[in-house]
């Protein structure tokens, strides 16, 4: 992705601002492109860049494609290297073992991303014991 010939880069500091002011991946992208300009991009296997999307439906298609690609990359990362922070799973198990505590899990990830985390880290047998799951 390039805006005015420059690669689109979100630093950790910039993303921190976005995540604390704009909810959701697609709204973050729409906000950024609305303020910085819409990007050109080159789909995988293409020889030329796709022109800057002008029409709202073209912009939505780009954002949908970017979100889909982000989910693919996120799922790959989770399956290959992600692990729970020390003590998190034992804390979950302790809470799940107590009838006086209601347990819930909530995620802002896409459904596919959430399912990858559950399958790779939390595991479905543990997830099934939560009182509330919102993804």
């Amino acid at each position: 992705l390039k805006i005015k010939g420059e690669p689109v880069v979100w630093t950790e500091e910039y993303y921190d601002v976005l995540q604390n002011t704009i909810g959701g991946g697609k709204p973050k992208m729409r906000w950024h492109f609305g303020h910085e300009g819409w990007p050109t991009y080159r789909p995988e296997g293409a020889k030329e860049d796709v022109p800057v999307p002008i029409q709202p439906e073209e912009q939505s298609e780009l954002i949908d494609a970017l979100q889909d690609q982000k989910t693919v990359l996120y799922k790959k990362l989770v399956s290959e290297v992600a692990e729970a922070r020390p003590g998190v799973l034992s804390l979950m198990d302790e809470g799940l073992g107590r009838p006086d505590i209601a347990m819930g899990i909530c995620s802002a990830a896409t459904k596919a991303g959430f399912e990858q985390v559950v399958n790779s880290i939390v595991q479905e047998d543990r997830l099934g014991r939560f009182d509330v799951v919102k993804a």
Side-chain angles (χ1 to χ4, degrees), residues 8-91:
V8 175
V9 177
W10 288 7
T11 64
E12 189 174 329
E13 294 79 17
Y14 180 63
Y15 187 76
D16 190 46
V17 171
L18 289 178
Q19 79 174 11
N20 287 304
T21 56
I22 301 165
K26 289 181 181 184
K28 284 178 183 65
M29 288 184 264
R30 188 170 297 284
W31 186 91
H32 176 78
F33 298 145
H35 285 82
E36 301 296 324
W38 285 86
T40 59
Y41 64 99
R42 184 170 297 175
E44 193 172 324
K47 294 184 181 194
E48 294 182 9
D49 287 349
V50 173
V52 172
I54 304 296
Q55 300 300 319
E57 56 273 3
E58 295 172 325
Q59 295 170 348
S60 292
E61 287 173 12
L62 172 60
I63 288 175
D64 289 345
L66 291 172
Q67 182 71 23
D68 290 347
Q69 182 62 28
K70 184 181 97 168
T71 298
V72 167
L73 296 171
Y74 178 76
K75 287 172 59 177
K76 184 177 188 304
L77 180 70
V78 167
S79 69
E80 292 177 356
V81 299
E83 57 186 37
R85 291 185 179 187
V88 169
L89 295 178
S90 60
L91 180 63

Side-chain angles (χ1 to χ4, degrees), residues 94-105:
E94 182 180 333
L96 290 168
R98 292 185 50 181
D100 61 322
I101 296 177
M103 294 287 291
I105 196 167

Side-chain angles (χ1 to χ4, degrees), residues 78 81-93 117-118 120-123 126:
V78 167
V81 299
E83 57 186 37
R85 291 185 179 187
V88 169
L89 295 178
S90 60
L91 180 63
M92 281 182 184
D93 291 337
V117 169
V118 168
S120 298
I121 299 171
V122 177
Q123 301 179 347
R126 184 179 285 116

